């Protein structure tokens, strides 16, 4: 039985991937420091799952977790862009040093395949208003984006020098069950759906006409599985989005339909540095991966809301 390591596996995307790996009969190790992740996201009673509470910034812990595994999904990071703006030094430990530790541990232990969670944030405001392809000039505007882009470069170095096989995905806006809504910087869908269900007022930063390319976590997991398990992977980074722009106002209308109405919606000034329009060109992803059937936004929201 092949055993895979999922760093950040107690978090939103990671725990959904863990479920899929276990369902496919694999063994899974999770390395997570529980800064955002939760034990309750994991089926801890499954004998094929081993949970290691530890930090990816600790090289020794990472080396132990990597030794003997068949491949790594490296998802551990502080996912909030704003957290990196507030505390670049500490988030750099998780978001960059963690990635370097994973690369080095894989080199030491001869593990080759790694799936890496990069981000559309590396494009900054470039490509705004058009579908962003992978060749779009990189313009990381925050420590979060700089760390993600640096991680891509290091993975490429370890590929050329040491034979690592990175599958690099630049996620656009992922949503779905287990995305934690508890911080003001959590993903917008997790915040809006929770507040709509609880009847609490909703704040929109700006006029609500900004757009995002929302991608359901269940669909993402099918791509991550291919990245981990397929015979060969393309080493070039690939955008993960549906190339569909949805405005926050459209999103709210959908949530209103599913919840039978909305609580009061207030408009506040736009967030500094907020990207106005973000939409992926996914032609390269389509060329190299078997695309899942798209879970429509309304269906994904239904799953999330349990309606
Ligand atoms: P999340 O916060 O739910 O998951 C991240 C997990 O990593 C958490 O369980 C957290 O406890 C863990 N973690 C953080 N720092 C750690 C450390 N130093 N050592 C060990 N564990 C640590 O967020 P998510 O949305 O599931 O994000 C998963 C990955 O995808 C992250 O790398 C994030 O940057 C990336 N990403 C997410 C999105 C999105 O829309 N959600 C978009 C682009 C990229
Ligand atoms: C998201 C991800 C980031 C990823 C990027 C890639 C999260 C928390 N952030 O950033 O990790 O790298 O996509 O595309 O998952 N908004 C409101 N009201 C709210 C909350 C948000 O109006 O209460 C607005 C924001 O100002 C923004 C939009 O909603 O215009 C989306 O915000 P958010 O969900 O935080 O995502 P991104 O900033 O796009």
């Amino acid at each position: 039985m092949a055993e895979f390591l999922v760093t950040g596996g107690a978090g939103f995307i990671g725990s959904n991937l863990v479920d899929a790996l276990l369902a496919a009969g694999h063994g899974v190790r999770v390395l997570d420091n529980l800064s955002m992740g939760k034990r309750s996201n994991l089926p801890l009673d499954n004998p094929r799952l081993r949970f290691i509470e530890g930090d990816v910034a600790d090289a020794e812990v990472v080396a132990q977790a990597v030794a003997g595994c068949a491949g790594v999904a490296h998802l551990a990071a502080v996912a909030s862009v704003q957290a990196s703006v507030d505390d670049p030094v500490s988030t750099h430990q998780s978001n960059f040093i963690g990635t370097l530790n994973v690369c080095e541990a894989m080199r030491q232990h001869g593990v080759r395949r790694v799936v890496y969670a990069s981000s559309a944030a590396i494009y900054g405001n470039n490509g705004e208003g058009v579908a962003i392809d992978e060749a779009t000039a990189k313009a990381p505007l925050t420590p979060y984006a700089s760390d993600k882009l640096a991680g891509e470069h290091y993975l490429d170095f370890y590929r050329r020098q040491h034979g690592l096989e990175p599958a690099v995905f630049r996620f656009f806006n992922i949503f779905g069950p287990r995305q934690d809504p508890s911080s003001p910087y959590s993903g917008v869908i997790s915040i809006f759906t929770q507040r709509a269900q609880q009847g609490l007022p909703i704040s929109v930063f700006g006029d609500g006409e900004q757009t995002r390319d929302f991608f359901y976590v269940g669909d993402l997991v099918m791509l991550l599985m291919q990245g981990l398990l397929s015979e060969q992977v393309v080493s070039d980074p690939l955008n993960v989005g549906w190339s569909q722009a949805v405005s926050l106002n459209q999103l709210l209308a959908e949530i209103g339909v599913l919840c039978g109405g909305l609580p009061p919606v207030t408009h506040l000034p736009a967030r500094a540095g907020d990207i106005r329009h973000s939409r992926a060109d996914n032609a390269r992803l389509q060329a190299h991966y078997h695309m899942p059937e798209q879970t429509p936004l309304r269906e994904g929201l239904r799953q999330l809301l349990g309606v």
Side-chain angles (χ1 to χ4, degrees), residues 96-149:
F96 176 71
I97 300 296
T99 303
L100 182 54
N101 285 340
V102 167
C103 290
E104 190 53 24
M106 291 180 69
R107 180 188 71 77
Q108 278 169 24
H109 292 286
V111 180
R112 297 164 88 89
R113 183 63 57 85
V114 54
V115 167
Y116 176 61
S118 188
S119 166
I122 66 166
Y123 300 113
N125 284 316
N126 287 341
E128 240 186 321
V130 295
I132 297 166
D133 68 18
E134 290 84 355
T136 300
K138 313 305 170 287
L141 299 174
T142 57
Y144 173 86
S146 301
D147 282 336
K148 288 290 182 188
L149 186 56

Side-chain angles (χ1 to χ4, degrees), residues 11-13 32-33 35-37 55-56 75 77 94 144 148 174:
F12 160 48
I13 297 170
D32 199 298
N33 67 357
S35 54
M36 280 297 284
D55 201 305
V56 288
L75 306 178
S94 299
Y144 173 86
K148 288 290 182 188
I174 313 301

Side-chain angles (χ1 to χ4, degrees), residues 9 54 83 116 119 154 158 211 228 232 257 259 274 279 286 297:
Y116 176 61
S119 166
Y154 272 78
Y158 275 82
T211 58
L228 260 186
Q232 287 182 335
V257 168
C259 292
D274 204 20
R279 178 166 70 93
Q286 289 202 46
L297 179 64

Side-chain angles (χ1 to χ4, degrees), residues 12-13 78-82 118-122 144-145 148 170-174 179-180 183-192 195 202-206 208 210-214 248 251 266 268-276 278:
F12 160 48
I13 297 170
V78 177
S80 160
V81 176
Q82 189 61 36
S118 188
S119 166
I122 66 166
Y144 173 86
K148 288 290 182 188
R170 295 176 178 154
F171 304 163
F172 280 63
N173 290 62
I174 313 301
Q179 190 167 30
D180 188 342
S183 137
Y185 301 116
S186 298
V188 65
I189 290 187
S190 68
I191 296 177
F192 283 5
R195 297 187 77 84
I202 286 176
S203 302
V204 173
F205 300 115
Q210 66 264 52
T211 58
R212 292 293 184 271
D213 191 345
F214 293 110
L248 295 193
L251 172 65
T266 317
L268 299 174
R271 275 180 181 164
D274 204 20
I275 292 170
R276 182 81 177 154
S278 173

Side-chain angles (χ1 to χ4, degrees), residues 32 36 87 132 139 146 160 162 215 229 242 248:
D32 199 298
M36 280 297 284
D87 192 351
I132 297 166
S146 301
R160 286 180 279 109
H162 300 297
F215 203 97
L229 300 169
W242 287 117
L248 295 193

